[in-house]
């Protein structure tokens, strides 16, 4: 039998679902990552967007971020929307405006056309959908290339560059690595 979720204790619920302190920690890490990437962009002398996960300096940005903030080396930047704050806000405002305009039109006509509302919502979320597909394809290709690269490299012990006190290699683009 499935237990009634309303009867679960707070402790049991916290084991099943994210809690507010979890979301607070997610936000804290996201802000740390954004700060680290801003610092990496400044170090490299490039625009912030170019060091994000699909930017032209993404690999160099990632390396600079890891060296400056080693505590974040195991954190993922994927899905954070770094460098897209204005674009996302603009799309959100356009979406909400279009949907509420369609709702108002339907209210004035005394109708309820869910399909028309869905078409409006879909049209105004198309840019975000296309970007999500672009990111998914890019991440897939990056992961495949990383897997192939790992197969080609012999298993040898590695040392972090900052431990050797050597300058980082000049890599302008992650694709140059491949």
């Amino acid at each position: 039998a499935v237990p009634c979720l309303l009867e679960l204790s707070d402790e049991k619920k916290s084991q099943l679902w994210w809690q507010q302190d979890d979301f607070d920690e997610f936000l804290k890490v996201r802000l740390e990552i954004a700060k680290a990437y801003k610092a990496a962009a400044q170090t490299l002398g490039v625009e912030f967007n170019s060091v994000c996960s699909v930017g032209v300096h993404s690999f160099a940005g990632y390396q600079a971020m890891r060296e400056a903030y080693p505590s974040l080396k195991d954190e993922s930047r994927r899905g954070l929307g770094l460098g897209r704050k204005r674009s996302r806000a603009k799309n959100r405002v356009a979406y909400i405006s279009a949907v509420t305009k369609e709702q108002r039109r339907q209210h004035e006509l005394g109708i309820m056309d869910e399909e028309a509302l869905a078409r409006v919502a879909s049209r105004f979320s198309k840019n975000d959908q296309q970007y999500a597909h672009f990111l998914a394809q890019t991440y897939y290709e990056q992961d495949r290339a990383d897997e192939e690269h790992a197969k080609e490299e012999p298993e040898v012990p590695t040392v972090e560059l900052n431990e050797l006190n050597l300058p980082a290699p000049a890599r302008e683009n992650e694709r140059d690595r491949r």
Side-chain angles (χ1 to χ4, degrees):
V2 176
C4 176
L5 299 179
L6 298 174
E7 297 172 4
L8 293 177
S9 68
D10 288 342
E11 181 181 342
K12 189 66 173 170
K13 287 178 186 177
S14 71
Q15 293 173 354
L16 296 173
W17 294 290
W18 298 113
Q19 300 299 306
Q20 185 59 50
D21 58 331
D22 296 313
F23 290 106
D24 294 343
E25 181 64 22
F26 299 156
L27 177 59
K28 178 183 165 195
V29 170
R30 187 217 181 279
L31 294 174
E32 287 177 22
I33 291 171
K35 179 181 172 183
Y37 274 98
K38 284 180 185 177
Q42 289 175 343
T43 298
L44 297 170
V46 298
E47 294 289 322
F48 177 70
N49 287 347
S50 72
V51 297
C52 294
S53 57
V54 295
V56 295
H57 300 289
S58 62
F59 183 73
Y62 178 69
Q63 293 300 99
M65 184 279 298
R66 285 185 64 190
E67 288 180 21
Y69 295 83
S71 64
L72 297 175
K73 70 179 168 83
D74 295 324
E75 298 291 343
S76 175
R77 60 189 169 180
R78 292 183 177 181
L80 296 180
L82 297 177
R84 296 199 67 233
K85 184 177 180 178
R86 287 188 183 107
S87 173
R88 291 177 67 192
K90 182 180 171 184
N91 291 348
R92 182 178 56 250
V93 168
Y95 177 90
I96 292 170
S97 176
V99 169
T100 55
K101 182 179 177 182
E102 176 61 19
Q103 288 174 327
R104 190 171 28 260
R105 183 189 75 81
Q106 290 184 20
H107 179 74
E108 290 169 359
L109 294 174
I111 63 171
M112 176 72 169
D113 186 349
E114 293 175 0
E115 289 182 19
L117 197 55
R119 281 191 303 274
V120 168
S122 180
R123 186 171 68 238
F124 279 87
S125 62
K126 188 171 284 301
N127 286 344
D128 288 330
Q129 290 172 5
Q130 289 172 342
Y131 185 73
H133 286 275
F134 166 75
L135 282 182
Q137 181 68 36
T138 301
Y139 293 155
Y140 173 80
E141 291 170 3
Q142 286 175 352
D143 289 347
R144 290 288 167 233
D146 289 345
E147 288 172 7
E148 290 301 316
H149 186 67
K151 289 178 188 175
E152 296 168 5
E153 292 183 356
E155 293 287 327
V156 294
T158 59
V159 178
E160 291 290 328
L161 286 176
N162 58 359
E163 293 176 8
L164 297 174
N165 294 320
L166 297 173
R171 283 191 175 147
E172 288 302 314
N173 189 331
E174 182 176 6
R175 290 173 192 93
D176 292 344
R177 174 174 65 109
R178 299 177 185 153

